[in-house]
Amino acid sequence: MTQDRAAAGVAEKPPSRPAPPIVVVGLGAVGSLLAGCLAAAGCAVVAVGRVDLGGRPRAIQLVEPGGRRRTVTVVAAGPEGIPPESRVALLAVKQYDLAGVLDGLAARPDLVLVTVQNGLGAEEAVLARRPTSGLVSASLTAAVERGPGGEVHWLRRGGIGLAPVAGPVDAVVEALVAAFRSGGLPARRYPDWAAMKWSKLLGNLLCNATSAILDLEPATVLADPALFAVERRQLEEALAVMDRLGLRPVGLPGAAVDWLVRLLQLPDPLARPVLRAVVERARGGKSPSLRGHVAGSAPGPSEVGWLNGAVAERARALGLVAPVNGRLADLVEAVVADPTQRAWFRGRPDRLLAALDG
């Protein structure tokens, strides 16, 4: 067994001894997809949920973009069920659950953690709590959601980017890239985790907050010239922060974010129809995440503070301004908290535009 593959617990044929299981924390749609792809690659996987699941086998049924179904088996456990020999744990939880997960992993500083969260701040939070532990950043571009029967619908294949953040983790990154590719999920290693993470953020910002506030489909948002101007402004603010940080947008597996930036340089009448097609294809029919929170179909609080709110916060820290991102973050929180505000903005772009200009 090579050092690279052994580092992440990737099995080879025939192994000289059982490879240590890879841990996936979080049994939602994203965690199930990652666990399923690793298991399909021949890795032993322990999927950790909030409660003790007894270390029992658990079947994960993946419905792939082309309709093919495949079933893989992992071991389901609770927070106390992480095997002592495991060396890598993927954190497939929302940003607002990350602190609690880190509390539960405090006794395992030997674990290399992999942050799969959308938005900004996950890596900094882990580094603050675990300054001497290994850390890998990940950006997932696959569109996925849980079906009514518990199956995981992989709506658009996308892929995953992985980048070293702290510690001697190069072997882990290379092994995970190989394992995900073997399991059917396109994967790529990136040298700069911050550039990768900010690039993914650009995709997360697009038609997310506006769609949530107005309760409109992204295609409807992009068809409106005034709303398209809002989308352009929020992305330009984020790009200004990236530029100040010395970061350049990079293409991600299944998400040509670098081309998105070039598209924004076109006149609106040319950019809007192309961007509309790109967004529809990228989402695979899945509604934007913030819209799901506002509608109540997604559990937990909104993540807008780690998306638009994070852009506004980083801009302030650098002496810049990001008023559109800051105001969008405030408005999303308002419609989440207040049904009256939700009804006021629903389907009314004129009211959103007035609120942004006020």
Side-chain angles (χ1 to χ4, degrees):
M1 181 179 295
T2 66
Q3 179 183 1
D4 281 1
R5 294 177 66 81
V10 181
E12 290 186 342
K13 305 291 186 178
S16 57
R17 59 180 178 179
I22 299 175
V23 176
V24 177
V25 181
L27 289 173
V30 169
S32 296
L33 172 67
L34 297 177
C37 289
L38 290 171
C43 304
V45 178
V46 173
V48 175
R50 294 177 182 271
V51 297
D52 185 4
L53 300 173
R56 297 185 297 271
R58 173 169 175 161
I60 295 176
Q61 186 175 81
L62 296 178
V63 183
E64 298 192 3
R68 182 171 77 100
R69 293 174 177 264
R70 60 174 172 170
T71 302
V72 296
T73 301
V74 302
V75 173
E80 304 301 320
I82 296 177
E85 66 272 22
S86 290
R87 292 293 175 263
V88 179
L90 282 70
L91 308 184
V93 299
K94 299 291 188 181
Q95 286 269 17
Y96 47 74
D97 287 327
L98 185 59
V101 169
L102 294 176
D103 287 341
L105 297 176
R108 291 297 307 272
D110 58 308
L111 283 173
V112 173
L113 301 188
V114 183
T115 47
V116 194
Q117 287 66 39
N118 284 332
L120 305 176
E123 290 74 22
E124 292 85 349
V126 175
L127 288 171
R129 297 280 295 273
R130 301 165 65 93
T132 62
S133 298
L135 177 60
V136 174
S137 179
S139 291
L140 181 69
T141 62
V144 60
E145 65 183 10
R146 182 78 72 176
E151 69 276 7
V152 178
H153 287 265
W154 191 350
L155 303 174
R156 190 188 72 88
R157 189 163 296 278
I160 189 168
L162 295 144
V165 180
V169 296
D170 285 342
V172 172
V173 171
E174 296 301 329
L176 287 175
V177 166
F180 280 124
R181 287 175 177 172
S182 178
L185 181 65
R188 179 180 168 188
R189 183 191 190 278
Y190 290 83
D192 187 336
W193 70 269
M196 178 191 74
K197 210 71 172 184
W198 273 87
S199 297
K200 176 60 165 45
L201 174 69
L202 295 175
N204 288 137
L205 291 178
L206 190 60
C207 297
N208 204 348
T210 49
S211 178
I213 296 164
L214 297 171
D215 193 21
L216 294 176
E217 291 293 332
T220 305
V221 171
L222 293 175
D224 185 315
L227 293 179
F228 181 79
V230 173
E231 298 297 329
R232 181 189 289 275
R233 285 160 58 196
Q234 69 164 337
L235 291 175
E236 287 173 346
E237 290 175 358
L239 286 166
V241 177
M242 290 184 68
D243 185 66
R244 181 65 64 87
L245 293 171
L247 304 175
R248 297 290 179 267
V250 296
L252 300 173
V257 179
D258 48 344
W259 282 97
L260 167 64
V261 175
R262 298 181 186 183
L263 185 60
L264 290 174
Q265 298 170 1
L266 297 175
D268 285 9
L270 295 177
R272 281 195 294 117
V274 177
L275 191 58
R276 177 176 175 175
V278 170
V279 170
E280 288 179 338
R281 184 169 62 251
R283 293 197 179 277
K286 183 180 179 182
S287 187
S289 60
L290 294 176
R291 189 183 183 199
H293 283 292
V294 172
S297 61
S302 162
E303 288 190 288
V304 73
W306 290 278
L307 300 170
N308 301 87
V311 173
E313 179 183 334
R314 303 298 173 88
R316 284 192 296 270
L318 293 168
L320 302 174
V321 293
V324 174
N325 278 280
R327 190 65 179 132
L328 287 173
D330 291 342
L331 290 171
V332 169
E333 297 290 14
V335 298
V336 168
D338 187 350
T340 302
Q341 289 289 303
R342 201 175 311 152
W344 172 258
F345 284 107
R346 182 177 294 122
R348 292 295 300 268
D350 58 318
R351 291 176 175 170
L352 171 59
L353 294 170
L356 291 172
D357 290 336

